Amino acid sequence: MSIALVDRLAEAGRALAAALDRNDIAAIEAAAAGFQAATAAVGGAGGWRDTPELKARIRDALADVEAARLRCAYFGDAARRRLEKLATIGANVAAPIAYGRQGRI
């Protein structure tokens, strides 16, 4: 694995977090696609234990990725709460929302 792949993953995580912060759907979709490609590249490379520098870069990249993951979880929960509020006031939404946090019925 190369440091460039890890840097690409970190940048993709930062781009996804920034797009989520801007609340721009087109930017979120583009950043998510870039993040998916970067994740696939890192996942297929292997050899992450090669050097101490590479391990350090991976730790840094994981912090950026975790920031994006937390934003996704937060916005997902916020959307669920809004849908549940709409359901309680009689909007045309099935109540209660069928899926829980784990994606199961």
Side-chain angles (χ1 to χ4, degrees):
M1 178 183 302
S2 72
I3 290 177
L5 287 176
V6 176
D7 288 345
R8 179 178 165 205
L9 179 63
E11 180 54 39
R14 285 190 295 271
L16 182 56
L20 288 164
D21 288 344
R22 287 192 313 269
N23 202 23
D24 179 356
I25 299 299
I28 292 169
E29 289 177 348
F35 183 75
Q36 181 181 15
T39 303
V42 168
W48 61 272
R49 295 183 180 124
D50 291 344
T51 66
E53 181 185 5
L54 188 55
K55 286 184 201 177
R57 282 281 180 74
I58 289 171
R59 271 192 303 275
D60 293 342
L62 287 176
D64 293 325
V65 170
E66 180 68 4
R69 187 193 70 77
L70 289 173
R71 282 173 176 81
C72 288
Y74 171 78
F75 289 127
D77 283 346
R80 179 189 49 79
R81 285 191 305 272
R82 281 187 232 131
L83 287 171
E84 287 175 350
K85 277 185 183 180
L86 286 171
T88 61
I89 62 172
N92 194 14
V93 176
I97 303 304
Y99 293 97
R101 295 194 86 219
Q102 301 300 320
R104 289 176 268 185
I105 295 179

